[in-house]
Amino acid sequence: MSNHPATAISTAATHGSDLVATAQTAGQVAAVVLIVTLAVALYLLGCLIWPFGKCRRCKGVGKFKSPFGNAYRHCGRCDGSGLRIRVGRHVINHIRATHGAGTNATSKGDRK
């Protein structure tokens, strides 16, 4: 019979530690979410400032040298510019286009 009270005390202690573990886990999740949000915001800011990156096919050169001689041809992916639009800039352009396509019902032209 003495086993039941000891089990109840250890169960109560376990429940208290579960609460502490849950609070620590929630804090860790919040910290990770904050860090990821900050990283995405910094990346998008970088895409606003520097919208282009190097073309991945030609490595930013814009042309390919022929295997025989000194002839060159332009990269087909970047059309010889050596640049590509970064993924974050595509996201920003999409957000701007969506925002610009919206209508404002409170503008003076829409009042009746």
Side-chain angles (χ1 to χ4, degrees):
M1 290 206 147
S2 64
N3 288 339
H4 294 292
T7 306
I9 293 171
S10 65
T11 304
T14 304
H15 288 298
S17 64
D18 286 345
L19 182 61
V20 171
T22 304
Q24 288 176 348
T25 304
Q28 291 170 347
V29 168
V32 168
V33 168
L34 179 66
I35 290 170
V36 168
T37 303
L38 184 63
V40 169
L42 287 174
Y43 174 72
L44 290 177
L45 179 66
C47 288
L48 277 172
I49 297 169
W50 301 285
F52 298 104
K54 289 182 182 180
C55 174
R56 291 188 180 118
R57 183 176 290 171
C58 66
K59 298 182 177 93
V61 177
K63 55 190 173 183
F64 292 103
K65 189 175 179 182
S66 76
F68 306 110
N70 294 328
Y72 288 95
R73 68 176 174 86
H74 291 291
C75 176
R77 180 173 288 178
C78 65
D79 292 327
S81 69
L83 300 175
R84 65 172 175 84
I85 298 178
R86 296 170 71 185
V87 174
R89 187 59 188 211
H90 279 292
V91 171
I92 292 169
N93 290 345
H94 177 73
I95 291 170
R96 284 184 173 176
T98 304
H99 183 347
T103 59
N104 187 358
T106 60
S107 64
K108 292 181 180 179
D110 293 338
R111 291 184 185 170
K112 292 183 180 183

